[in-house]
Amino acid sequence: MSITAAVGRIAANVLDLARTRLELAAIELQEGAHRLFGYLAWAIAAAVLGLFAVGLVILFVLVLFWDTHRLAAVGGMAVLFIVGTLFAVARLRAGLAARPPMLPATLAELRKDAEALKGGAADGF
């Protein structure tokens, strides 16, 4: 076998390996995008319904206490929503800090490939 044929076969194997890894990355990105859009749709629905519910609760409390303790009712509702906002921001920050890395299967396969190449190179020399 000639050197050019061996180099050509190695190049073809490397290209096939790269193509396989890119296909895996594309599949993972597509799955992630589908999940993200699903979560986004549910988040929008929850936000809209939640806003309507909150508005009705505020209206109910204000009407209930309008004649007796109207300022206390408004102040209490403001404090409640400030605490809720701070809780939501804290949960958002914690969730963003703990998110998993992108493309975990692709990265794992690339690490395996690198280890195999290192091991093969060490065996060959």
Side-chain angles (χ1 to χ4, degrees), residues 77-101:
M77 296 305 277
V79 167
L80 178 71
F81 288 110
I82 289 170
V83 169
T85 301
L86 294 176
F87 177 74
V89 168
R91 293 288 302 189
L92 177 63
R93 284 186 178 177
L96 289 174
R99 71 183 183 271

Side-chain angles (χ1 to χ4, degrees), residues 1-94:
M1 176 189 300
S2 70
I3 292 177
T4 56
V7 169
R9 197 172 68 204
I10 291 171
N13 287 340
V14 168
L15 285 175
D16 190 45
L17 181 71
R19 180 189 53 80
T20 302
R21 298 306 178 237
L22 285 174
E23 287 175 358
L24 177 61
I27 289 169
E28 282 188 289
L29 285 172
Q30 188 177 22
E31 288 174 353
H34 285 328
R35 259 193 323 271
L36 179 64
F37 285 126
Y39 293 151
L40 184 62
W42 282 113
I44 290 171
V48 168
L49 294 172
L51 285 173
F52 280 119
V54 166
L56 289 173
V57 167
I58 292 171
L59 183 63
F60 175 76
V61 170
L62 292 178
V63 169
L64 184 66
F65 291 106
W66 189 256
D67 291 332
T68 57
H69 300 96
R70 120 184 71 209
L71 292 178
V74 171
M77 296 305 277
V79 167
L80 178 71
F81 288 110
I82 289 170
V83 169
T85 301
L86 294 176
F87 177 74
V89 168
R91 293 288 302 189
L92 177 63
R93 284 186 178 177

